Amino acid sequence: MRLLSRVAPPLAVDLFQRTWFTPPRVRPRGDALRWLARGEPMAFRVHGHAVRAWSWGKGPTVLLVHGWGGHAGHLHAIGQALCERGLRVVAYDAPAHGQSGPSRLGARRVTLVEIADALRIVAAGAGPLHGLVAHSGGCTAAALALRGGWTGPRRMALVAPFALPSQAVAPFGRAIGASDAVTARFSARVQAWLGRPWTEFDMTGLPASRTPPPSLVVHDAGDREVPAAHGRALAGAWPGARWLETAGLGHRRLLRDPAVVARVADFIAGGDRPRRWRPSDARDELDRLFDPHGSTPG
């Protein structure tokens, strides 16, 4: 990337775009595979391609939305806890993820816009939603769907939310060795291609167009993939949002931590009453997003 940035900037921009829009492949753990095996298979079509989904339990429906590079089994511990509270759980593999087919971009590439489209289609087929639990980039997709007019669930739990994509482009460019000029050209190209500014992907801007559902925001202070500043900014921007900050769990282990799982399940089931938290100065927290040592999902 450094070499291309100097000698062939257009090729560097192409490489930047392929890297940003290609999610990593993550092999499900044994416990996730066993959870999926117990689910009732469901099938959907998104832009002409197959999307795999599963359901467990009976009762009001809760949709689980995995993050960038994740899969339907990633939130299995939370799903099991929700079933134990008398709720039905539906989870799906996003396009170009897990067992689902490719997106309309092909070659394992996908945009959060298409993941948001898949979310709306699965939600419509699964029935009225009582709740939604999302992780990382899945939170961004849920906010995009809400911004686009989706009715949404009665309440949401957002775990390690990738809340500020517009603030992530420059750090991502530095992390992969792109020059500032190449990063700027990539940013402008994507805005023209998707027909919207980067700021429309920021979850913090949703209240300007509609009131978000009652939400619990959970983030780990030491998250190295999506800095906790994303979650703090979101908790401060969404009216009535509730905040839970953890320590020592990182970006994914909090999905399996018993205390976090119980708190999320209680909130979605309607029995949780955590104290609300608001940052005293969100600007100081946002400065942390420019840490060049961090990495960000696409």
Side-chain angles (χ1 to χ4, degrees):
M1 178 62 79
R2 291 188 181 92
L3 178 61
L4 287 176
S5 291
R6 291 196 302 270
V7 303
L11 294 179
V13 175
D14 290 342
L15 179 58
F16 197 132
Q17 184 163 337
R18 287 198 301 273
T19 303
W20 181 275
F21 290 108
T22 302
R25 286 285 186 176
V26 178
R27 182 181 296 274
R29 293 158 45 103
D31 46 5
L33 289 172
R34 289 189 291 273
W35 164 254
L36 293 175
R38 294 196 298 270
E40 179 182 348
M42 305 173 70
F44 298 90
R45 304 289 293 183
V46 178
H47 301 150
H49 299 286
V51 164
R52 295 286 308 278
W54 297 261
S55 70
W56 301 260
K58 296 184 182 299
T61 300
V62 179
L63 183 65
L64 306 183
V65 186
H66 66 76
W68 187 254
H71 54 78
H74 252 156
L75 282 73
H76 68 90
I78 293 173
Q80 181 63 44
L82 291 168
C83 288
E84 292 170 356
R85 285 159 174 78
L87 297 169
R88 174 179 178 247
V89 171
V90 174
Y92 70 98
D93 284 336
H97 287 73
Q99 298 181 40
S100 288
S103 75
R104 54 187 169 186
L105 297 181
R108 291 183 48 231
R109 291 177 294 157
V110 67
T111 70
L112 286 171
V113 175
E114 188 162 0
I115 293 175
D117 290 343
L119 187 158
R120 286 193 293 264
I121 291 170
V122 173
L129 293 188
H130 168 78
L132 177 145
V133 182
H135 178 238
S136 192
C139 303
T140 326
L144 284 173
L146 290 168
R147 188 188 288 267
W150 178 51
T151 301
R154 294 178 59 187
R155 50 179 51 205
M156 300 169 59
L158 306 168
V159 184
F162 181 44
L164 297 163
S166 70
Q167 302 292 333
V169 178
F172 185 83
R174 291 193 293 269
I176 64 174
S179 68
D180 290 345
V182 164
T183 298
R185 290 176 64 173
F186 161 77
S187 180
R189 176 194 283 186
V190 170
Q191 289 182 112
W193 173 43
L194 296 180
R196 64 184 75 189
W198 279 99
T199 51
E200 280 202 13
F201 291 89
D202 290 347
M203 299 177 67
T204 52
L206 179 64
S209 59
R210 62 173 297 178
T211 302
S215 299
L216 171 67
V217 182
V218 185
H219 220 125
D220 190 80
D223 192 327
R224 294 181 61 84
E225 294 191 33
V226 178
H230 282 243
R232 294 180 188 130
L234 182 61
W238 281 22
R242 300 171 181 179
W243 170 252
L244 172 62
E245 183 169 312
T246 64
L249 297 176
H251 190 61
R252 294 182 180 84
R253 278 188 294 149
L254 76 176
L255 294 173
R256 305 187 302 273
D257 178 77
V260 172
V261 167
R263 182 69 166 271
V264 168
D266 286 344
F267 176 80
I268 294 296
D272 185 62
R273 295 292 184 271
R275 185 173 59 185
R276 188 178 181 278
W277 179 94
R278 177 184 289 274
S280 58
D281 187 350
R283 292 173 299 174
D284 293 339
E285 301 297 345
L286 293 177
D287 288 341
R288 301 182 188 181
L289 294 176
F290 294 92
D291 178 4
H293 303 292
S295 61
T296 306

